[in-house]
Amino acid sequence: QVRLSQQALRAVAMAARAVITGAGRAGMNAFAQAANEPALAAALVGCASEAETASWALPLLVDLLTAPARVKSEAEGREGLLRQLLEVLPRAQQRARNGSDAAKHLLMLLYSVRSALLANRSLLQPALCAVDGFVPVVSVLNEEYEADGAPDHIPSDGAEGASGGVASAISTAVLSTLVASLRESEASKATFERLVGYDTLESAVLRCHGGRPPRALLRGLLALACDDIGAGDYAVSASSLDGSASPAPPKTPL
């Protein structure tokens, strides 16, 4: 077997994205067709599952997820791809216990799901319900994350509690993803209530923060209650972990 370097894998992914984009400009529903290719989906999800390669694999996955589904088989393919991406969360969640560097991968995954939902809500809100996607998203909170690192890396003014930093960034990302998945959809809200429920969400949030949720998280809960999409952003969350701006995954053209 030939094992490609990270640079080579990234180049292949970027070339594939360019070819698919070019086919789309020629009138072909190329992203939708590519999303139904099991080998391509599996390869990209495999790369997204690794912190070292996720930053370039995830934008292409978002492209595939958000392409218009013109027939039922394409919509079903999108459900399968979304399921595969959500299945990456538990492993990233376990790694995130090791501190802020590992947590950035989990943040990247959550904000990519959020980005896809915002880009094509009519397609992906029902898909998320179909694959019981609320469960793995909320399950991310069932972890004791470290406050992380040295004091000069994680600002702490007492109000953020002992589990600020990593726990705050991750729980805010979960809430931002939930807002995108529930916004203006009574069907999605009913499914969330059935599969998870707001009481369970409240318990998970409090457990993640040792019973002392920070102000940012309270704002996230308010956004969830008000259907306010807000400005949840990977770069902001990542920079809160290391005290400096971190590059966000490349934005996907709509």
Side-chain angles (χ1 to χ4, degrees):
Q1 289 185 333
V2 177
R3 185 176 180 83
L4 297 178
S5 66
Q6 290 182 29
Q7 292 81 1
L9 285 169
R10 185 179 189 280
V12 170
M14 294 303 101
R17 191 179 191 192
V19 170
I20 295 171
T21 300
R25 289 172 181 161
M28 300 170 59
N29 194 13
F31 278 113
Q33 294 296 328
N36 283 2
E37 292 296 330
L40 177 60
L44 287 172
V45 171
C47 291
S49 70
E50 301 296 332
E52 296 80 7
T53 49
S55 63
W56 53 260
L58 283 169
L60 183 50
L61 278 170
V62 171
D63 284 335
L64 300 183
L65 281 168
T66 57
R70 299 173 183 174
V71 295
K72 183 179 179 182
S73 62
E74 291 179 353
E76 291 173 345
R78 226 56 50 76
E79 290 178 7
L81 184 57
L82 181 60
R83 180 185 292 109
Q84 291 181 64
L85 182 56
L86 292 171
E87 287 172 351
V88 176
L89 289 177
R91 185 180 177 193
Q93 172 185 339
Q94 292 177 352
R95 291 173 173 174
R97 289 181 296 189
N98 297 326
S100 63
D101 287 340
K104 289 176 185 177
H105 180 219
L106 180 56
L107 290 175
M108 202 181 300
L109 290 165
L110 288 167
Y111 280 115
S112 292
V113 173
R114 178 183 186 271
S115 176
L117 283 160
L118 292 178
N120 196 339
R121 194 173 60 196
S122 62
L123 173 64
L124 294 179
Q125 281 183 332
L128 192 74
C129 294
V131 302
D132 296 345
F134 295 113
V135 176
V137 171
V138 175
S139 294
V140 167
L141 297 172
N142 295 329
E143 200 68 70
E144 293 184 4
Y145 298 105
E146 295 180 6
D148 185 67
D152 60 330
H153 283 183
I154 300 288
S156 177
D157 57 4
E160 294 296 313
S163 59
V166 173
S168 181
I170 290 174
S171 53
T172 299
V174 167
L175 291 176
S176 294
T177 303
L178 288 178
V179 171
S181 64
L182 298 175
R183 189 174 186 231
E184 299 178 1
S185 173
E186 294 305 317
S188 295
K189 291 173 183 176
T191 301
F192 175 79
E193 182 64 41
R194 175 174 58 84
L195 293 176
V196 179
Y198 291 95
D199 289 342
T200 299
L201 175 61
E202 178 187 11
S203 298
V205 167
L206 291 174
R207 182 167 54 251
C208 185
H209 287 272
R212 298 178 59 193
R215 290 189 299 269
L217 190 58
L218 296 178
R219 288 194 294 269
L221 289 169
L222 180 61
L224 185 63
C226 299
D227 260 359
D228 179 10
I229 201 60
D233 181 80
Y234 165 76
V236 173
S237 292
S239 64
S240 74
L241 299 183
D242 59 16
S244 62
S246 298
K251 293 185 181 297
T252 302
L254 301 181

